[in-house]
Amino acid sequence: QVQLVESGGNSVQAGGSLRLSCAASEYTNNYYCMGWFRRAPGKEREVVAQINVGVTSGTHYHDSVKGRFAISRDNAKNTLYLQMDSLQPEDTATYYCAASLYACDFYPLQEYQYAYWGQGTQVTVSS
């Protein structure tokens, strides 16, 4: 079973940037889709971004982060990234990475389709 470990969370001011990393314990190509989710205080966990792991690296983003966040992966390092720019206070949350055995090249996956999860990293954005 893959182990996923997130890092890079921090406290920043609005307008700042952070890059989250998710190190996988095994070859990321063993999974078909990887994603970032977040849970804000008092809210349900929501998907932030997803990337297909395959010939086509299709990506999907939550509307609230389009144009500000970018998901990417480095298969040589077995690492998933989330570059977050123009951060806003509403981006404050615990961010989780996840891996799925389903592909997401054309359509985004639902949360229940992700089988493996990291422990999360905290992002706090102050105004």
Side-chain angles (χ1 to χ4, degrees), residues 14-65:
S17 298
L18 285 174
R19 188 176 80 156
L20 304 183
S21 299
C22 173
S25 61
E26 61 183 59
Y27 193 41
T28 52
N29 272 5
N30 288 344
Y31 303 89
Y32 291 100
C33 185
M34 298 191 74
W36 288 98
F37 292 74
R38 66 186 180 189
R39 177 181 283 141
K43 294 187 177 180
E44 297 290 321
R45 187 162 56 187
E46 64 180 9
V47 63
V48 175
Q50 304 176 63
I51 185 167
N52 194 57
V53 181
V55 175
T56 59
S57 298
T59 57
H60 309 279
Y61 294 93
H62 191 280
D63 285 346
S64 67
V65 306

Side-chain angles (χ1 to χ4, degrees), residues 3-7 21-25 36 97 118-119:
Q3 303 293 319
L4 302 172
V5 180
E6 303 94 336
S7 62
S21 299
C22 173
S25 61
W36 288 98
C97 76
Q119 294 299 306

